[in-house]
Amino acid sequence: MADRPAPETGPPAPVTDQQIRDAFRQALLTVWTRELDLVSEGVNERAVVARIAFALQAAITSWGAQWRVDVEYNRWRRPGFGVIRKALYVHGFDAADRRPVYPDLILHDPHGRFQERNLLALEAKRGRPRPRDRDFDLAKLRAYLRELHYRQAVYLEFDGCGEPPRLQWFQLRDGQVHTAGVEDAWQRRVDSGSQEPLPGL
């Protein structure tokens, strides 16, 4: 089925980095308190991310109708190219070519034509991921920031037994990807200078 023409939208209303983080934390809190079976009985991370997306969409309703949360969204509006599949060069993991990617969750203005339309990209893992799997997800997040111009990216790790999740935040500043902090989602303990990987849960 052919893609329908996207409605034109003006520049999105300003959204601060703090608003993005607060809305995401609120979505996590909603899922961890109202959907306890999903996060405490070893349910696949896709099901958990889907509920986070639903809660995050509810948390951003006051921002304006253009903002949307999508799961495994694989399209990108590139000026001069129209709608194309998302593809990235993930440094250290694919030396030959760009590969298609499907972020676990994104917060964006899907019809916007402005660089600030991409607010947040998420990768999530349940349980104890292998180091290479974690490293690949972190490399993807850095590539989302560099190549697809997301403002922030977050790596979510949770044990599947109901304990609070752990977050690692990244930001793009002056063309460089920076680790913006590691935190406990409930207590908001952020070490803004941390470069350490997340500990296994």
Side-chain angles (χ1 to χ4, degrees), residues 15-87:
V15 176
T16 68
D17 290 345
Q18 191 63 49
Q19 284 178 291
I20 296 167
R21 291 189 183 201
D22 286 347
F24 184 72
R25 292 184 189 109
Q26 181 59 50
L28 290 182
L29 185 59
T30 297
V31 172
W32 256 254
T33 55
R34 298 183 184 175
E35 314 279 358
L36 188 58
D37 61 313
L38 286 179
V39 298
S40 64
E41 297 176 3
V43 174
N44 186 279
E45 66 236 25
R46 289 185 180 182
V48 176
V49 169
R51 299 308 296 174
I52 293 170
F54 184 79
L56 182 56
Q57 188 69 59
I60 65 170
T61 53
S62 65
W63 295 4
Q66 73 268 37
W67 297 115
R68 193 171 82 194
V69 182
D70 284 305
V71 175
E72 297 193 349
Y73 190 86
N74 68 339
R75 290 295 187 268
W76 182 37
R77 294 183 184 280
R78 184 175 179 186
F81 290 86
V83 180
I84 61 176
R85 286 182 182 271
K86 282 183 176 165

Side-chain angles (χ1 to χ4, degrees), residues 1 8 27 29 63 84 87 91 121 127-128 135 153 155:
M1 186 172 72
E8 293 291 334
L29 185 59
W63 295 4
I84 61 176
H91 179 71
R128 295 180 179 269
D135 289 346
Y155 179 67

Side-chain angles (χ1 to χ4, degrees), residues 9-199:
T9 62
V15 176
T16 68
D17 290 345
Q18 191 63 49
Q19 284 178 291
I20 296 167
R21 291 189 183 201
D22 286 347
F24 184 72
R25 292 184 189 109
Q26 181 59 50
L28 290 182
L29 185 59
T30 297
V31 172
W32 256 254
T33 55
R34 298 183 184 175
E35 314 279 358
L36 188 58
D37 61 313
L38 286 179
V39 298
S40 64
E41 297 176 3
V43 174
N44 186 279
E45 66 236 25
R46 289 185 180 182
V48 176
V49 169
R51 299 308 296 174
I52 293 170
F54 184 79
L56 182 56
Q57 188 69 59
I60 65 170
T61 53
S62 65
W63 295 4
Q66 73 268 37
W67 297 115
R68 193 171 82 194
V69 182
D70 284 305
V71 175
E72 297 193 349
Y73 190 86
N74 68 339
R75 290 295 187 268
W76 182 37
R77 294 183 184 280
R78 184 175 179 186
F81 290 86
V83 180
I84 61 176
R85 286 182 182 271
K86 282 183 176 165
L88 294 172
Y89 173 70
V90 181
H91 179 71
F93 289 86
D94 194 345
D97 203 355
R98 296 167 69 86
R99 61 169 65 183
V101 292
Y102 311 92
D104 289 339
L105 177 151
I106 61 172
L107 168 55
H108 65 151
D109 171 6
H111 303 301
R113 308 197 188 283
F114 304 92
Q115 182 165 323
E116 61 268 27
R117 70 186 180 275
N118 293 325
L119 298 185
L120 178 68
L122 163 81
E123 292 290 337
K125 278 289 184 291
R126 175 184 59 81
R128 295 180 179 269
R130 296 177 301 177
R132 181 170 176 82
D133 291 339
R134 178 189 286 144
D135 289 346
F136 181 56
D137 278 349
L138 295 177
K140 282 194 295 183
L141 290 174
R142 294 183 181 101
Y144 296 150
L145 293 168
R146 281 194 312 268
E147 299 184 40
L148 299 179
H149 310 297
Y150 280 86
R151 187 192 297 180
Q152 295 192 72
V154 61
Y155 179 67
L156 166 69
E157 230 176 67
F158 60 99
D159 65 359
C161 299
E163 290 300 311
R166 297 275 293 171
L167 307 176
Q168 185 167 359
W169 291 92
F170 299 89
Q171 287 181 310
L172 188 67
R173 296 195 308 271
D174 302 320
Q176 299 294 318
V177 176
H178 298 269
T179 301
V182 177
E183 67 179 278
D184 177 301
W186 309 152
Q187 299 181 20
R188 304 186 187 186
R189 292 195 302 267
V190 178
D191 175 5
S192 60
S194 175
Q195 300 295 322
E196 296 300 317
L198 283 173

